[in-house]
Amino acid sequence: MKQRRWITVGAVAVATVAALNAVPATANRPYDPTAQSLGALGQRHGLQVGTAVDLAALNDANDPQYRRLAASEFSSVTAENAMKWESLEPTRGVYDWAAADQLVEFARRNKQSVRGHVLVWHSQLPTWLTSGVADGSISKQELRELLRKHITTVVSRYKGKIWQWDVVNEAVSDPWDTPSTLHYKGFWAQNLGPGYIADAFRWARAADPRALLFYNDYNIEAFGSGNPADDKSQFVYDMVKGLRAQGVPVDGIGSQGHLGTQYGNYDTLQVTAALKKFTSLGVATAFTEVDVRSELTEAVQAGNSAEINPRLQASAANFSVLMKACLAVRSCLSYTVWGFTDRHSWVPGWFNEPPQGMATIYDENYQPKRAYHELKSDLIFAGPPYVLPRIAPKPRR
Ligand code: G3I
């Protein structure tokens, strides 16, 4: 009896793997995986391949390629800015849903899932909120209530339409901050203490029982010393472990994946090990904001190929390391790039000394770069027994 049950379980597993990896039949045409989109290739593994979307670019009638690629190449979208608090409630009590609604509708029409970004972050807060706290007209108690209301309002509006929410973003300091010992940083920790993190997840869960609730941060692609005083990944690991032990509904850890070719970065095995360690907490994982920037030296800007080629290759290698690690770990549910074209990337506007750029998978003229092709290859050449379909956790109550 027992044996028969295991045979059935085994047969179902094999059938699932086979179904996900089946070569789609096309009448009279050989299957050409290179002609498939990243999103379609990701589906073979149950992996969503997404992009952050710049709503201004999406609405630019003179830039139709942006909309076309955002719709056709990806299976998931994230609002780059449109769901941040300053965008949603620029004036106290007056919500402007236009841009966020538009993205959710765009995703529905294109059968894409949506990563909600972001409910609680120290940056891009409305001025009325930060100045009200600074001048004392908003008390700490009122601030906590405003946060509860904001989370409840936003999550309720999109209930059932958001697959993963970045509930809390970048709550932890970096080793270059003062003090250098890692700690909870920023506006929310300063004003409410770290207890806001548990509150935020509980409020989000109360508003949507089905969305997967993520903690999202950068520089957590690999573990370092293992000491939470200077190893940010370890700090986040301990934090999520502690939260879950208290029954806080954290369902996932999002690793942003903002890399640069000028740094040492990591290899696939290191990144795989990090995802596995996070998974051991019982949570999902995801790469949520992947891009790989490069320093734009004068030679690069002058078009010197001896300087450009190594950057394109290093960029592709780093995109690929994160993709391979994600594929190797079944809890890794999605791989999102933070913008897909150098025409619309936050990087050049952010890093000027020295200038940086070339951070995405398509160039400014929407030509796919080496990084795009490497991601595609990773998705094409992956399969059982090392790469198996994703396993999503049940949203925690
Ligand atoms: O909306 C104003 C516009 O009215 C004005 O004309 C223009 C002039 O500069 O600025 C516009 O606001 C900009 C906004 O993006 C929308 O384009 C801000 O200046 C600019 O600072 C802001 O940058 C965003 C950044 O977050 C802010 O921290 C980037 O686009 C966005 O990609 C970036 O995303 C973050 C993630 O949310 C969290 N992880 C890190 C990641 C990169 O910093």
Side-chain angles (χ1 to χ4, degrees):
M1 193 62 188
K2 211 174 197 173
Q3 199 185 0
R4 194 177 304 153
R5 197 165 65 228
W6 278 113
I7 291 170
T8 312
V9 170
V12 170
V14 169
T16 309
V17 170
L20 279 160
N21 285 287
V23 170
T26 329
N28 304 327
R29 235 184 318 132
Y31 174 64
D32 176 10
T34 65
Q36 302 287 312
S37 68
L38 294 172
L41 292 168
Q43 301 292 355
R44 295 176 59 236
H45 312 286
L47 177 75
Q48 306 294 320
V49 183
T51 182
V53 174
D54 173 343
L55 266 291
L58 197 71
N59 287 325
D60 185 349
N62 296 318
D63 194 357
Q65 287 262 66
Y66 186 91
R67 175 173 274 268
R68 192 177 62 71
L69 286 172
S72 62
E73 195 64 43
F74 302 95
S75 52
S76 166
V77 287
T78 307
E80 186 174 358
N81 289 296
M83 288 189 186
K84 292 172 179 173
W85 198 336
E86 73 169 6
S87 308
L88 292 178
E89 196 185 7
T91 307
R92 187 169 179 172
V94 185
Y95 273 86
D96 177 357
W97 300 106
D101 281 0
Q102 196 200 333
L103 185 71
V104 172
E105 174 55 20
F106 177 83
R108 193 194 60 76
R109 254 185 287 123
N110 296 301
K111 299 188 172 48
Q112 294 163 314
S113 52
V114 183
R115 292 199 81 261
H117 177 85
V118 50
L119 296 172
V120 196
W121 190 26
H122 57 260
S123 184
Q124 291 181 282
L125 291 168
T127 316
W128 61 262
L129 182 78
T130 47
S131 57
V133 171
D135 68 20
S137 60
I138 295 176
S139 70
K140 299 287 153 76
Q141 209 184 346
E142 199 182 351
L143 180 65
R144 186 169 182 272
E145 178 52 20
L146 282 166
L147 182 61
R148 189 195 64 75
K149 232 173 107 194
H150 176 72
I151 291 174
T152 307
T153 305
V154 178
V155 177
S156 302
R157 180 173 184 91
Y158 297 115
K159 184 177 171 183
K161 296 181 177 168
I162 302 282
W163 175 41
Q164 305 174 2
W165 263 117
D166 287 334
V167 177
V168 175
N169 195 42
E170 302 172 13
V172 181
S173 69
D174 295 289
W176 56 83
D177 288 328
T178 309
S180 63
T181 302
L182 297 185
H183 56 278
Y184 292 103
K185 70 164 183 202
F187 179 84
W188 296 104
Q190 280 154 19
N191 288 294
L192 300 180
Y196 81 88
I197 299 174
D199 290 340
F201 279 95
R202 289 195 168 111
W203 292 328
R205 171 58 73 235
D208 188 342
R210 311 253 318 235
L212 290 174
L213 305 181
F214 274 68
Y215 175 76
N216 190 46
D217 215 329
Y218 58 86
N219 284 355
I220 57 167
E221 294 84 15
F223 281 71
S225 68
N227 177 357
D230 60 21
D231 181 346
K232 192 165 172 181
S233 303
Q234 187 64 43
F235 190 104
V236 168
Y237 174 92
D238 291 346
M239 175 188 79
V240 171
K241 189 174 181 186
L243 289 167
R244 284 181 57 93
Q246 296 164 50
V248 178
V250 184
D251 300 313
I253 297 177
S255 179
Q256 294 183 0
H258 291 293
L259 302 177
T261 59
Q262 66 272 41
Y263 304 121
N265 299 329
Y266 315 105
D267 62 50
T268 308
L269 297 183
Q270 286 173 300
V271 180
T272 303
L275 292 179
K276 283 190 173 155
K277 189 163 169 180
F278 288 143
T279 307
S280 72
L281 296 171
V283 296
T285 58
F287 285 109
T288 55
E289 305 184 11
V290 184
D291 55 15
V292 187
R293 60 187 186 270
S294 283
E295 293 187 358
L296 306 180
T297 58
E298 278 177 23
V300 170
Q301 294 185 49
N304 180 339
S305 58
E307 290 249 349
I308 291 172
N309 285 332
R311 286 169 170 74
L312 292 174
Q313 286 167 13
S315 161
N318 280 295
F319 271 104
S320 175
V321 161
L322 301 191
M323 177 58 90
K324 288 201 199 85
C326 184
L327 284 166
V329 180
R330 302 182 72 184
S331 77
C332 186
L333 304 182
S334 56
Y335 182 105
T336 297
V337 293
W338 203 243
F340 59 89
T341 163
D342 290 344
R343 185 181 288 245
H344 302 286
S345 161
W346 69 292
V347 169
W350 208 260
F351 301 94
N352 336 307
E353 284 175 15
Q356 296 183 41
M358 297 174 68
T360 72
I361 59 176
Y362 288 82
D363 71 13
E364 292 185 355
N365 299 313
Y366 296 106
Q367 293 308 303
K369 297 196 247 176
R370 186 179 285 266
Y372 170 87
H373 294 298
E374 281 308 310
L375 289 182
K376 223 171 203 186
S377 309
D378 291 338
L379 291 163
I380 291 170
F381 296 127
Y386 301 117
V387 174
L388 297 169
R390 313 294 90 190
I391 302 176
K394 283 208 171 63
R396 198 159 188 217
R397 294 307 175 101

